[in-house]
Amino acid sequence: QVQLLQSGAEVRKPGASVKVSCKTSGYTFTDYAIQWVRQAPGQRLEWMGWITTATGDTRYSRDFQGRLTIMTDTSASTAYMELSSLRSEDTAMYYCARGVEEIVLMVDSYYYYYYMDVWGKGTTVTISS
Amino acid sequence: QSVLTQPPSAPGTPGQSVTISCSGSSSNIGSHDVYWFQQLPGTAPKLLIYKNHQRPSGVPDRFSGSKSGTSASLAISALRSEDEADYSCAAWDVSLSVWVFGGGTKVTVL
């Protein structure tokens, strides 16, 4: 069955970086995108960005622009999320999720996005001095 | 970020029905499909409803979704103790180019 296995909990100091992995199995890696969503304690889910695994194209939320990098190792069916310049507000559970493409047709063009159908169990990232 | 609005709690008794609302705007729910996620205590979100009313394989038909204009609803019928969880709605926001989520509704089975 489809599985997304995330790396273990991380503790970092403010200003440092963290890299979380998401190893997939049970499907063809490049047929779906990978998205990253985080949830701070007691807060709502917050979308961070996605990567189109077939092309390596990425889209990031403006809230993380400049600090977030999503990448893949296609040979290992694994995606990574790296967040830099960490601050206390980045303390959260970080989830990867498989992305299913949705195409929205307009009058003379189209755009696409991905929805999240299968999620990893999450990785706790704690920022503490 | 723009957000979707949900009630914080929705209590019910076994066998009853509960309905959770999700209010958005023209740039998210008004122009895109709505998705619902179930989060059992201490676990990751699980896709419960996609494209407004579709159920993934394995989701009981006690769960149903609907959408009208800039609002959506999730209904749970024949409530069971194992339905105790947080339920969040989500939609793509074309103006912000982000996914927006509701704050979650905690369903409690009394």
Side-chain angles (χ1 to χ4, degrees):
Chain A
Q1 76 275 28
V2 175
Q3 288 189 312
L4 284 72
L5 183 63
Q6 296 187 224
S7 48
E10 303 274 11
V11 179
R12 293 287 186 274
K13 293 189 184 306
S17 297
V18 69
K19 189 173 183 179
V20 179
S21 67
C22 173
K23 182 170 178 56
T24 72
S25 61
Y27 71 97
T28 301
F29 183 68
T30 50
D31 282 351
Y32 297 84
I34 292 290
Q35 310 205 60
W36 290 89
V37 178
R38 76 178 185 179
Q39 188 170 35
Q43 302 299 309
R44 69 183 67 211
L45 296 163
E46 181 180 21
W47 180 75
M48 301 178 71
W50 71 50
I51 186 164
T52 301
T53 55
T55 62
D57 290 341
T58 54
R59 178 176 289 188
Y60 302 133
S61 166
R62 287 175 208 147
D63 289 349
F64 299 97
Q65 212 77 30
R67 292 204 300 142
L68 175 64
T69 305
I70 299 175
M71 67 209 84
T72 60
D73 177 349
T74 303
S75 66
S77 300
T78 300
Y80 301 88
M81 182 282 299
E82 185 168 29
L83 190 62
S84 62
S85 302
L86 292 167
R87 36 210 188 227
S88 59
E89 309 88 88
D90 294 318
T91 293
M93 182 73 81
Y94 288 76
Y95 297 102
C96 63
R98 191 174 74 165
V100 180
E101 185 178 58
E102 269 298 296
I103 295 175
V104 181
L105 297 174
M106 301 170 70
V107 174
D108 55 0
S109 65
Y110 74 96
Y111 61 92
Y112 68 92
Y113 62 91
Y114 299 103
Y115 71 86
M116 298 140 281
D117 71 337
V118 181
W119 295 61
K121 290 190 184 328
T123 297
T124 300
V125 175
T126 303
I127 314 304
S128 175
S129 53
Chain B
Q1 282 189 9
S2 175
V3 296
L4 306 180
T5 302
Q6 299 179 233
S9 63
T13 56
Q16 263 192 336
S17 296
V18 295
T19 300
I20 301 167
S21 61
C22 175
S23 176
S25 68
S26 58
S27 61
N28 42 66
I29 293 179
S31 48
H32 300 98
D33 292 328
V34 176
Y35 299 77
W36 290 90
F37 299 96
Q38 178 193 57
Q39 235 176 329
L40 297 170
T43 69
K46 169 192 167 185
L47 181 64
L48 195 67
I49 297 288
Y50 67 103
K51 295 186 186 183
N52 305 317
H53 61 85
Q54 307 277 5
R55 283 186 305 276
S57 173
V59 173
D61 59 6
R62 299 186 297 104
F63 295 90
S64 61
S66 64
K67 181 184 114 168
S68 178
T70 59
S71 295
S73 294
L74 173 71
I76 310 173
S77 62
L79 200 60
R80 304 174 67 159
S81 58
E82 56 259 40
D83 297 334
E84 279 206 339
D86 283 324
Y87 295 84
S88 296
C89 57
W92 178 253
D93 190 298
V94 66
S95 296
L96 299 173
S97 291
V98 297
W99 275 94
V100 289
F101 291 89
T105 298
K106 185 173 183 61
V107 168
T108 306
V109 183
L110 302 172

